[in-house]
Amino acid sequence: MSSREEADHAGPNAPLLTSTDHHDRDLSPDPADNVDLAPELEYSGGWFIWILTISAGISGLLFGYDTGVISSTLVTIGSDLSNRPLTTLDESLITSCTSLFALVASPFTGVLADKYGRRKVILAADALFALGALAQAFTSQVGGMIFGRSIVGLAVGSASAITPLYISEVAPTQARGRLVTVLSLLITGGQVVAYIVGWLFSEMPGGWRWIVGLGAAPAFLQFAILIFLPETPRWLVQAGSEDRAAKVLTRIYHGCPDRDQGVRRVLRGIRREIEEEAEEMGQSEIPDANMHWFHDTSQRAHDLFYVGGNRRALTIAMMLQGLQQLCGFNSLMYFSGIIFTALSFSSPTLTSLTVAVTNFVFTLFAFGLIDKIGRRRILLYSIPVMILALLACAVVFSSMEISFEPESAQKANPNANSNSPLLVLFCLAVFVASYAFGLGNVPWQQAELFPLNVRSLGSSLATATNWGSNFVVGLTFLPMMRWISPTWTFVIYAGVCAVGWVAVHAIYPEMSGMGLEDVKGLLADGWGVEESLRRRRSMKHI
Ligand SMILES: O[C@H]1[C@H](O)[C@@H](O)[C@H](O)[C@@H](O)[C@H]1O
């Protein structure tokens, strides 16, 4: 038996740790705490973890719906707002205010999630989702629409920072990748639903009010369910409620043959992390989250930027999130209607649906394979396919006469009898499929990179990078298509992906199969790439 197995066999019937245990504890290393060496339990969770994941994941559905709904909304509003057709400025403001406010909300989310808990932040985001949806549905002014979309932006920003973190913190290690990918499935599923709803209501007078207003329904549903669901065990221990954390873990590991062992192992890992943090801060007790809140927040920010391992985690998470957006994927999400109109497809909205559906279907493949293939490998395999697809698109575009000037939509199509539009569609579908398989979901695994004390702050800054880059792409795509040509626009996106591949290869370690509490050691003295690959190889041999 390995030392680690012995540690966890400290007795399956030994009582679970209680909130008072840590006061009697000596901080010197205890062999039973040696979680680094222990094999992870082969347990990927029962029904309870699925309920938690799907309930929290409804935020993803809302995020997808509210970002996917914009293209059909814009084309169906007509003159319903402010008694005039929308100007180009109105359209840009209505589209980009959501990403901008998401960018504003995400950094604060981390601070609030540490103080009030992860669950309360999700509930607050629900209230904002519902308010924003209703404000849009009942407005008669362009300004009201921008207000509603901005409120939705605050909701999307906080939900996208907090939900992956909640799921990572409740998930058993062996299923963490898949469970966080459920969130990506719900985001991309929400985008498909948005496209379908948009298409169904587009002919109805005032149908756009239903399109945007329907976004309130899942928010009410999630609010009702989440009230009954627990806070994450990690946050509970940090807040001094170890008894409650043990209860939640016992439910999570309910069907596991070694349930008590699993619960003890996770609790030990969390406590060890908190104790190390306390030691580093020169304290002898676990910090009380309420009393030391202000001090903790500035300490966390300091730790995030000045502790090497945390800074490395932040660099990786921000790099991945920036890459996810700067590869240009969302230009298809937001402007595929315009692209397919310029390519003279007879039904641009229906053609756009292929983008959303491909995105969803390949996220489904990622869901099935991510824990087997591993996060790093899935990216190293899929990014080159994205590059080839983008370059192929650029080549086809260079052989076409195509214009993205607004007035060109009315002109005769010079490519009417060529196969080029179909070829572009095919290349875009390959690009979307490879994106969905890797970059579309792996960056949302971000929470696992950070140790507990800086997890929510780090995750929210990485999420802010996502929204900042999303905003840049949304703002620059059409001008780039017009001014430097579609060919060069796609070559630039391919270049971003190539740089991203090199960065992933150099600094992103393999996180699959690692406990959340083991990550700190991995990034402590370097990027940990070799070490992580060694661990993964040896895990496969256990
Ligand atoms: O993970 C999601 C998903 O890939 C969506 O399709 C995309 O629109 C989002 O920007 C991204 O964060």
Side-chain angles (χ1 to χ4, degrees):
M1 210 188 314
S2 74
S3 57
R4 177 107 177 263
E5 281 168 315
E6 280 167 20
D8 274 334
H9 280 78
N13 300 324
L16 297 176
L17 299 173
T18 68
S19 60
T20 49
D21 283 354
H22 62 262
H23 296 302
D24 323 316
R25 277 174 60 98
D26 153 15
L27 292 180
S28 60
D30 172 342
D33 279 351
N34 202 351
V35 284
D36 283 341
L37 303 171
E40 283 293 339
L41 284 180
E42 284 296 327
Y43 182 65
S44 45
W47 58 269
F48 185 61
I49 187 65
W50 281 98
I51 292 185
L52 290 187
T53 304
I54 291 175
S55 314
I58 295 175
S59 299
L61 193 75
L62 285 159
F63 161 5
Y65 188 83
D66 279 305
T67 51
V69 93
I70 191 63
S71 60
S72 53
T73 308
L74 287 182
V75 291
T76 48
I77 284 179
S79 301
D80 290 357
L81 293 179
S82 304
N83 295 319
R84 58 172 171 78
L86 294 178
T87 63
T88 310
L89 180 66
D90 294 336
E91 289 184 341
S92 319
L93 287 175
I94 291 172
T95 310
S96 52
C97 66
T98 306
S99 335
L100 191 64
F101 277 80
L103 168 63
V104 170
S106 34
F108 297 107
T109 306
V111 178
L112 294 176
D114 278 336
K115 178 162 168 60
Y116 298 108
R118 285 57 169 131
R119 204 176 58 109
K120 287 198 183 122
V121 174
I122 302 183
L123 292 175
D126 278 332
L128 291 172
F129 270 122
L131 187 71
L134 297 177
Q136 291 174 78
F138 289 106
T139 189
S140 56
Q141 299 295 321
V142 172
M145 187 70 181
I146 295 174
F147 172 75
R149 296 284 309 158
S150 304
I151 301 285
V152 164
L154 293 176
V156 173
S158 31
S160 57
I162 202 63
T163 317
L165 187 142
Y166 181 90
I167 299 176
S168 296
E169 286 194 339
V170 292
T173 301
Q174 299 299 328
R176 196 176 60 239
R178 295 181 73 201
L179 293 172
V180 176
T181 309
V182 169
L183 179 69
S184 300
L185 264 181
L186 287 164
I187 298 173
T188 53
Q191 288 171 330
V192 173
V193 174
Y195 272 58
I196 294 174
V197 170
W199 173 59
L200 290 178
F201 283 89
S202 57
E203 301 297 318
M204 180 199 270
W208 64 269
R209 293 191 188 277
W210 284 100
I211 302 178
V212 292
L214 279 174
F220 285 124
L221 175 71
Q222 189 182 41
F223 196 93
I225 305 175
L226 265 186
I227 282 185
F228 300 103
L229 293 184
E231 189 42 82
T232 75
R234 267 97 185 163
W235 186 81
L236 286 170
V237 175
Q238 197 172 39
S241 299
E242 205 164 302
D243 289 344
R244 282 169 63 203
K247 279 192 194 126
V248 178
L249 283 166
T250 307
R251 292 178 76 188
I252 290 175
Y253 283 85
H254 177 67
C256 175
D258 295 318
R259 187 192 67 185
D260 289 354
Q261 176 192 337
V263 172
R264 273 200 308 280
R265 181 183 188 284
V266 176
L267 279 178
R268 270 202 299 273
I270 304 172
R271 288 183 53 197
R272 188 193 61 168
E273 248 197 287
I274 296 176
E275 286 166 358
E276 279 175 7
E277 184 197 340
E279 272 185 299
E280 281 160 18
M281 288 162 68
Q283 298 170 12
S284 56
E285 286 193 3
I286 296 175
D288 173 339
N290 291 319
M291 277 178 59
H292 297 293
W293 178 70
F294 181 74
H295 171 69
D296 276 0
T297 304
S298 46
Q299 180 71 39
R300 280 180 224 287
H302 178 273
D303 284 358
L304 184 59
F305 294 110
Y306 291 98
V307 173
N310 297 343
R311 200 173 46 236
R312 275 184 278 281
L314 185 65
T315 309
I316 297 170
M318 288 173 90
M319 180 273 289
L320 291 177
Q321 288 288 16
L323 185 59
Q324 182 192 75
Q325 296 301 320
L326 296 175
C327 73
F329 170 79
N330 277 312
S331 55
L332 301 184
M333 206 53 190
Y334 302 150
F335 304 111
S336 54
I338 296 183
I339 300 174
F340 294 133
T341 304
L343 290 169
S344 303
F345 278 94
S346 57
S347 173
T349 32
L350 217 56
T351 318
S352 303
L353 197 58
T354 48
V355 170
V357 172
T358 310
N359 192 22
F360 175 73
V361 169
F362 279 81
T363 309
L364 204 60
F365 284 126
F367 165 75
L369 294 171
I370 188 161
D371 282 321
K372 284 195 197 93
I373 300 184
R375 290 73 158 140
R376 174 183 159 86
R377 226 166 8 133
I378 227 169
L379 288 181
L380 292 178
Y381 291 166
S382 60
I383 295 176
V385 183
M386 290 170 69
I387 299 176
L388 290 178
L390 285 167
L391 291 178
C393 257
V395 171
V396 183
F397 271 130
S398 70
S399 69
M400 296 170 80
E401 238 181 89
I402 187 167
S403 166
F404 283 86
E405 296 302 332
E407 66 277 9
S408 64
Q410 281 87 41
K411 291 192 189 148
N413 170 28
N415 304 298
N417 296 320
S418 104
N419 286 330
S420 302
L422 278 180
L423 266 176
V424 172
L425 179 61
F426 175 74
C427 297
L428 288 180
V430 174
F431 168 68
V432 171
S434 42
Y435 164 87
F437 195 52
L439 259 189
N441 65 77
V442 173
W444 291 119
Q445 307 282 344
Q446 60 194 13
E448 68 188 10
L449 287 160
F450 299 98
L452 181 59
N453 64 325
V454 293
R455 187 172 295 142
S456 72
L457 192 59
S459 298
S460 45
L461 290 183
T463 306
T465 313
N466 178 298
W467 289 108
S469 314
N470 178 306
F471 182 65
V472 169
V473 167
L475 219 57
T476 53
F477 176 70
L478 286 180
M480 275 165 64
M481 293 292 265
R482 285 175 191 150
W483 297 336
I484 63 167
S485 81
T487 301
W488 283 108
T489 305
F490 280 74
V491 169
I492 288 176
Y493 290 150
V496 171
C497 291
V499 173
W501 189 90
V502 174
V504 169
H505 188 268
I507 67 172
Y508 184 34
E510 182 55 68
M511 313 297 292
S512 329
M514 284 188 70
L516 279 187
E517 285 67 42
D518 305 339
V519 175
K520 195 172 178 181
L522 185 68
L523 292 172
D525 300 313
W527 298 104
V529 173
E530 285 306 318
E531 165 69 10
S532 71
L533 297 177
R534 233 188 341 267
R535 277 182 190 224
R536 192 166 160 81
R537 275 193 296 272
S538 64
M539 262 166 41
K540 283 194 175 152
H541 292 131
I542 286 175

